[in-house]
Amino acid sequence: MTLDLLIPFGILLALVVFLIYSRSKFEKDVVNIYEEKFEQWKENTDLGEQNKKPCKELVGIIYKEEYNITVELLDESVRRNLQQGKYKIKDK
């Protein structure tokens, strides 16, 4: 009687062990494939360098005192551009 129940439980146990092993092997294979694809993508992409826009930089402050406008420069490298009139006025 005990032998009758031992055979199905043995088969069930072997099946569970096999399924756990095959699932873990499959997961490792999938992770390895994705890691390889990610490394290939990092080597072949230049997205960070192509779409990089220059950021805004604070180089001066503009004050209005009665009827006079005063520009206080924080960075002297833009003085030439201001003197030549190379700037844009942007309304908000």
Side-chain angles (χ1 to χ4, degrees):
M1 181 101 166
T2 59
L3 188 59
D4 293 339
L5 294 176
L6 189 60
I7 294 173
F9 284 122
I11 293 172
L12 182 63
L13 182 64
L15 185 62
V16 168
V17 169
F18 171 74
L19 290 176
I20 290 173
Y21 171 75
S22 64
R23 168 107 185 204
S24 65
K25 185 175 181 279
F26 173 74
E27 288 175 352
K28 286 180 187 177
D29 291 342
V30 169
V31 168
N32 288 336
I33 289 171
Y34 276 106
E35 286 176 353
E36 289 173 9
K37 293 292 182 183
F38 181 65
E39 291 299 324
Q40 289 175 359
W41 177 80
K42 285 195 309 189
E43 291 173 0
N44 296 329
T45 187
D46 293 334
L47 294 177
E49 297 172 5
Q50 289 178 352
N51 296 335
K52 197 171 191 180
K53 297 189 321 186
C55 60
K56 292 181 181 179
E57 182 180 351
L58 182 64
V59 292
I61 301 174
I62 300 176
Y63 295 107
K64 179 181 177 188
E65 300 169 355
E66 296 179 4
Y67 296 105
N68 298 326
I69 293 178
T70 306
V71 177
E72 183 180 319
L73 295 178
L74 303 173
D75 185 5
E76 291 294 324
S77 66
V78 295
R79 180 179 296 276
R80 184 171 180 218
N81 288 348
L82 282 173
Q83 290 173 346
Q84 291 178 353
K86 293 182 179 179
Y87 54 86
K88 295 180 183 177
I89 297 174
K90 187 175 183 181
D91 295 333
K92 281 215 170 192

